Amino acid sequence: MSEHRRKQQQPQGGGRAAARRAAQQRPGRGAESGRDVPTASPSGPYGDEPGHGSSRADGRRSAGRGTAGRGRGAAQAGRGTGRPDKRFINYPRSDRDGWKRFVPSWKLVGGTALGFFAIITAGAGIGIASVNTPDANKMAEAQNNVFYWADDTQMVATGGSVNRQIVPIGKIPRSMQNAVIAAENESFESDKGVDPMGITRAVWNMAKGGSTQGGSTITQQYVKNTYLDSDQTLKRKVTELFISIKLGVTAEKNTILAGYLNTAYYGRDAYGIQAASRAYFGKDCQDLTPSEGAFLASVLKGPNLYNPDGGIGTAATPELNTARAQERWAWVLDREVKVGRMQQAERDQYKEFPKLIESAQARNMSGQIGYMVDTAKAYVMKTANLTVDDLAKGGYQIHTTFEKPRVDALVKAVEETRDRIIDEKKRPETDTFVQFGAASVDVKTGALVALYGGPGMDKKHFNNNANTSGVQVGSTWKPFVLAAAMQYGTQNSSGAGISADSKYMANDLTVINNRDGQPLRDKAGKPFKQKNESPTAYGYVTLNEAMEKSINVPFAQLVFDVGHSKVREVAKATGILEESMDPNANASFALGTSTPSAIRMADSYATFAASGTHHEPFSVRSVQRDGKDLANFEAPKAQQAMDNLIADNITKVLQNVVENGTGKKAKGLNRPAAGKTGTTDENMSAWFVGYTPELSTSVTLFRSDPAAQKKELISMKGVAGIPSLHGGDIPAEIWTKYMKDALDGVPVKDFPEPDKIPVIADASGAPSPSPSITPSPSMSVPASPSPQQSPASPSPSKGGKPSCRPWEICDPDEPSPGASTSTSPSPSKTPGRPGGATNSGGSGGFPIGGSTGG
């Protein structure tokens, strides 16, 4: 037993410990003889040797661990402490550990930078060597813009070689050179021709698809001027950069400055300093004074905005341009003093803005040509995203929508009427400065077929009256209020669209309530009372009759019952620009204090004529350049602005205006027509806007001195010997004459017969039964009004009768079923919304202007 126990106890030096020791010690002689020899004496008391199988297994395990250890150590030595490998670029770095492997060495950074610089330098060198420097003489070659009528016959060609003349630097006064350098590029004489920061910004913006930027130095601007194409691409910008650098190191400054001044665009179709000097001052450039040179340097900032003649767009009126030009002219002179190019004593001599001669460009744009060309240019610029300078470089063939026979017919109608009734010699106090504007639009497409902008740019009338701004439209706005009521309903109809047979109080000086039923307040805090043109006590009338007679009170109340925002939505859907709408939420808004142009009014009414389908107005059918069509000049797509039920009912109401109301003069057309008259307070303007199923035309009349620095409207009371001129007078007469000629030979066509709008919702306080959503179309029983509901005026007028279809039987003297959910509230002491005004003026929320009726 004792022996058995001794065998169970293994010595401490055997097993795994022995294997570890064997692996750590060098082999002894036993290894050499091939025998397993213990490396140490047994620690146990009996001195037994371990078995052979055990020591061999331990040896193999220890050898394996030793080999693995050596492998890991070698790998670590290769990465961390060994030499770099033999790759061409040692990255990630083989002689570093962890994140340090990805930190480039200074040799790698330096080599990369040097290589990149070498590539850029080589590329720039090749680019600079491959481009040619600009030749100002080639810029003198003529390029016209040709405009065509709708039948593709030529209307006019603008531009040409007569306005592109090259002069040497010796003929350009030093004062002119100083003005341009001071204003455009102070460091011109010392810089290298480029502005690195400006170029970087331009390239970066274009690379990421942003807006383009021009060169900031005179050299860069000269290079830009040599490009006749309007492509705004990165390739073009880089090419300009190469040319600018090449010019900066190869060309003399005088050559560059002369090239710039000879190729720049100055407005008035003038390219180059010589042409500009002739165009603005009627003299050769060598005779320019320092003051005149400062003006031409000012125009270079942007002829469209700094040419005092005016330009394209609402921000480029002659008044605004003149103010900008005068301010810039003074700044250029002051700048010359600041940078040392003019003495203060000389600057002090120039106090008055230089006097300009009449524009030869205007003389070539006689009659309506100038207005049509400007209208087409504005459309092309917007559609093709071109600048004024791009278009001025020429080479465009522009096919317009203007029809010459209809333009001639409109000119004839305006001028014959004007010559017959306007007599400036006989009535100088009233008949001077009377201006006419008109526009005619194709109902089916929105194409602008004719316009009348004024007597002509050749007559120094540069404002296009067809694109009027600041002329209130008066009662021609009322159809939008009624259309909104038909579409959105009123507070009294629970949101259901109402019929034009709904009744509203129409007495003069009626108190108007806001949407809360509280009286509006005037400036004195008293309840506001809306004024009609006539003191007639109409009582409650239908909206149809209110439109027929152009009574103000019903619409002043209706706009609050519907909501001003709803009226704006309807007007906008028909093509009225939001910026032309009166932003005030007062009573006068319903009466025409907004100022859309004649073009927009004609186009908007065309939406009614087309049963609610709206087409954006357009004046250009196609544009070509270099034999290629420019994109996006297809006719604008039709949009449904309102339901045909609403549009056709508005047409029915406006037909009644022509047949029985303020637009009776238009009956002379002798074909179905609808329209509305408009007159503003103090007879500041008068309108007639009307349409047939084929054409929609607007005519406006107003007084304003075209030569005045500040444009203000003048009352037309007494014009043509008429004490109070209305839209149903001269404007309706011109409309009728034009439409007769314009539609000569066109088959007569009727408007669609509309379905009735069944909901009749009278204004609060109307002596009518409660609203009936589905009233009988004929047999309705009138209700007797209670004494407190009876108006202090005659009983409801003929407007209360229902509108009957030809096949219906109804009593023409029977009033329509109406509605009233509440009586008129007594005046509240709490101030309500600001209301309308009987006269122009006021401030804050108090309304300005408005309609006096038709």
Side-chain angles (χ1 to χ4, degrees):
M1 292 292 294
S2 62
E3 182 181 359
H4 183 264
R5 284 194 296 272
R6 285 196 300 269
K7 290 181 180 179
Q8 290 294 324
Q9 295 177 355
Q10 295 294 327
Q12 295 298 317
R16 293 180 180 175
R20 283 196 298 271
R21 287 194 297 271
Q24 291 170 357
Q25 289 186 348
R26 289 180 296 182
R29 288 176 296 179
E32 295 174 359
S33 62
R35 293 178 297 166
D36 291 332
V37 178
T39 58
S41 298
S43 60
Y46 299 102
D48 293 348
E49 293 181 2
H52 290 289
S54 174
S55 66
R56 287 176 182 170
D58 289 342
R60 283 195 298 270
R61 285 193 294 270
S62 65
R65 283 194 294 271
T67 304
R70 288 193 300 270
R72 286 194 299 271
Q76 290 172 355
R79 282 200 309 268
T81 59
R83 292 185 177 182
D85 61 24
K86 295 183 178 181
R87 290 177 293 170
F88 181 72
I89 298 177
N90 182 26
Y91 190 83
R93 299 174 66 181
S94 61
D95 56 341
R96 290 290 185 271
D97 238 349
W99 60 269
K100 293 182 179 179
R101 298 178 63 207
F102 299 97
V103 178
S105 66
W106 68 269
K107 292 181 179 180
L108 180 60
V109 173
T112 301
L114 184 61
F116 182 75
F117 179 75
I119 292 172
I120 293 296
T121 302
I126 294 172
I128 293 172
S130 63
V131 297
N132 296 318
T133 56
D135 183 355
N137 289 294
K138 290 184 178 179
M139 287 294 294
E141 297 175 0
Q143 285 205 77
N144 292 327
N145 285 327
V146 184
F147 294 81
Y148 298 89
W149 293 102
D151 62 1
D152 289 326
T153 57
Q154 183 171 317
M155 178 194 298
V156 67
T158 65
S161 60
V162 68
N163 261 7
R164 297 171 186 255
Q165 304 170 44
I166 305 300
V167 293
I169 192 69
K171 288 192 175 182
I172 302 175
R174 187 63 189 175
S175 60
M176 177 68 203
Q177 300 176 41
N178 287 334
V180 172
I181 293 172
E184 301 283 327
N185 183 189
E186 176 188 348
S187 63
F188 168 71
E189 292 176 339
S190 59
D191 64 35
K192 300 301 182 183
V194 295
D195 174 13
M197 292 303 296
I199 287 292
T200 301
R201 285 193 304 269
V203 172
W204 173 249
N205 276 331
M206 297 186 69
K208 68 180 183 179
S211 61
T212 60
Q213 297 181 359
S216 58
T217 69
I218 286 177
T219 304
Q220 289 171 253
Q221 292 181 58
Y222 170 38
V223 172
K224 185 176 182 293
N225 290 342
T226 64
Y227 282 90
L228 294 178
D229 63 88
S230 58
D231 294 335
Q232 299 290 348
T233 63
L234 182 59
K235 177 182 176 182
R236 169 177 162 165
K237 185 59 63 178
V238 171
T239 304
E240 288 179 7
L241 171 61
F242 287 156
I243 297 175
S244 298
I245 295 173
K246 187 171 184 176
L247 274 179
V249 298
T250 62
E252 301 217 353
K253 291 294 184 179
N254 279 346
T255 302
I256 296 172
L257 182 59
Y260 172 58
L261 294 174
N262 278 312
T263 57
Y265 181 60
Y266 296 79
R268 288 194 173 183
D269 266 352
Y271 274 90
I273 184 64
Q274 173 64 11
S277 182
R278 300 296 306 177
Y280 286 101
F281 301 110
K283 62 173 68 173
D284 291 331
C285 67
Q286 62 190 21
D287 299 323
L288 288 171
T289 67
S291 176
E292 293 166 343
F295 165 76
L296 293 179
S298 302
V299 175
L300 287 175
K301 185 172 177 63
N304 191 59
L305 295 177
Y306 289 86
N307 176 2
D309 300 338
I312 297 173
T314 57
T317 64
E319 302 78 37
L320 293 175
N321 280 19
T322 298
R324 275 189 289 263
Q326 290 174 342
E327 182 180 0
R328 178 76 175 175
W329 164 79
W331 178 86
V332 170
L333 290 171
D334 291 338
R335 179 72 176 168
E336 289 186 70
V337 174
K338 185 175 181 179
V339 300
R341 292 184 176 273
M342 178 182 285
Q343 295 297 319
Q344 184 64 52
E346 183 181 5
R347 166 65 182 94
D348 293 340
Q349 298 176 19
Y350 308 117
K351 301 293 186 182
E352 295 185 4
F353 190 69
K355 187 176 181 180
L356 312 181
I357 65 170
E358 181 183 352
S359 172
Q361 179 185 9
R363 290 196 298 270
N364 295 332
M365 296 289 183
S366 61
Q368 302 309 301
I369 297 294
Y371 307 124
M372 290 187 290
V373 165
D374 275 1
T375 302
K377 280 183 177 179
Y379 189 83
V380 170
M381 288 165 53
K382 179 181 178 181
T383 305
N385 194 28
L386 299 177
T387 67
V388 174
D389 289 354
D390 291 334
L391 198 58
K393 290 174 181 177
Y396 294 90
Q397 292 80 48
I398 300 168
H399 299 261
T400 75
T401 60
F402 297 111
E403 300 177 12
K404 190 176 188 305
R406 284 175 167 168
V407 172
D408 291 343
L410 187 53
V411 172
K412 179 182 176 184
V414 171
E415 294 185 351
E416 283 186 352
T417 304
R418 181 191 63 202
D419 294 344
R420 183 177 61 82
I421 65 176
I422 302 297
D423 193 334
E424 296 182 14
K425 293 182 179 179
K426 183 178 179 180
R427 293 180 294 270
E429 296 299 319
T430 59
D431 286 15
T432 53
F433 308 137
V434 176
Q435 299 192 40
F436 300 80
S440 188
V441 170
D442 187 299
V443 166
K444 294 182 178 65
T445 65
L448 185 58
V449 298
L451 60 75
Y452 185 89
M457 292 182 176
D458 55 320
K459 304 286 181 59
K460 297 185 180 180
H461 186 96
F462 297 105
N463 293 321
N464 183 358
N465 292 343
N467 198 25
T468 48
S469 61
V471 180
Q472 295 179 351
V473 295
S475 292
T476 59
W477 192 260
K478 290 174 182 174
F480 302 129
V481 183
L482 180 56
M486 289 180 172
Q487 180 166 335
Y488 296 106
T490 67
Q491 295 181 125
N492 298 326
S493 71
S494 301
I498 68 171
S499 166
D501 289 330
S502 303
K503 294 189 289 294
Y504 271 69
M505 169 55 72
N507 285 345
D508 189 31
L509 298 176
T510 294
V511 172
I512 304 300
N513 296 325
N514 62 20
R515 288 184 67 82
D516 296 327
Q518 302 300 316
L520 301 179
R521 300 286 169 172
D522 61 18
K523 290 188 294 185
K526 297 179 180 179
F528 167 72
K529 298 179 179 180
Q530 178 61 55
K531 181 174 177 57
N532 291 328
E533 184 188 17
S534 167
T536 301
Y538 294 103
Y540 282 90
V541 303
T542 66
L543 294 172
N544 184 58
E545 184 177 350
M547 189 76 75
E548 171 192 318
K549 294 182 171 66
S550 202
I551 309 171
N552 289 339
V553 168
F555 292 98
Q557 184 59 61
L558 181 63
V559 74
F560 284 98
D561 292 352
V562 175
H564 292 73
S565 63
K566 300 301 183 184
V567 177
R568 288 190 175 91
E569 286 179 27
V570 168
K572 185 176 179 180
T574 65
I576 301 297
L577 299 178
E578 195 167 5
E579 56 265 30
S580 69
M581 298 184 201
D582 183 350
N584 297 307
N586 52 32
S588 292
F589 174 77
L591 310 180
T593 50
S594 297
T595 59
S597 68
I599 293 173
R600 284 287 168 178
M601 286 300 288
D603 177 70
S604 177
Y605 271 47
T607 304
F608 300 135
S611 296
T613 301
H614 174 245
H615 300 83
E616 270 292 294
F618 68 105
S619 57
V620 176
R621 297 172 292 118
S622 65
V623 179
Q624 293 82 37
R625 194 168 196 274
D626 298 329
K628 298 178 182 178
D629 286 323
L630 272 64
N632 303 320
F633 282 95
E634 302 82 9
K637 293 182 179 179
Q639 302 288 334
Q640 195 67 31
M642 64 183 68
D643 192 272
N644 66 315
L645 174 69
I646 297 169
D648 292 342
N649 269 277
I650 291 293
T651 293
K652 191 76 173 179
V653 171
L654 297 185
Q655 279 187 279
N656 184 55
V657 172
V658 172
E659 289 296 320
N660 306 304
T662 56
K664 283 184 179 179
K665 279 193 176 182
K667 289 176 67 175
L669 183 59
N670 297 321
R671 63 166 68 211
K676 183 68 188 79
T677 58
T679 308
T680 57
D681 283 347
E682 298 299 319
N683 283 171
M684 292 295 183
S685 62
W687 290 73
F688 185 79
V689 187
Y691 54 90
T692 67
E694 300 83 15
L695 281 182
S696 177
T697 302
S698 63
V699 179
T700 181
L701 190 69
F702 58 94
R703 286 185 72 199
S704 178
D705 183 356
Q709 290 292 329
K710 183 179 180 182
K711 291 293 185 293
E712 293 181 340
L713 296 181
I714 307 169
S715 175
M716 292 190 294
K717 288 182 177 180
V719 167
I722 302 172
S724 181
L725 194 148
H726 297 79
D729 297 322
I730 299 173
E733 181 178 338
I734 291 172
W735 184 92
T736 306
K737 285 183 177 181
Y738 161 70
M739 293 290 278
K740 272 188 175 182
D741 286 344
L743 296 172
D744 186 31
V746 177
V748 175
K749 184 180 179 181
D750 286 324
F751 292 110
E753 181 66 27
D755 292 331
K756 287 185 176 180
I757 297 176
V759 178
I760 296 176
D762 298 341
S764 299
S768 307
S770 297
S772 175
I773 302 302
T774 55
S776 169
S778 57
M779 301 300 292
S780 60
V781 179
S784 300
S786 61
Q788 61 266 31
Q789 290 177 319
S790 299
S793 59
S795 58
S797 67
K798 69 185 180 74
K801 66 182 181 180
S803 176
C804 298
R805 297 183 182 181
W807 60 84
E808 292 178 333
I809 300 174
C810 60
D811 184 352
D813 296 324
E814 184 179 27
S816 299
S820 175
T821 57
S822 63
T823 59
S824 178
S826 59
S828 169
K829 294 182 180 181
T830 304
R833 288 188 184 181
T838 58
N839 294 296
S840 298
S843 60
F846 199 70
I848 297 174
S851 169
T852 61

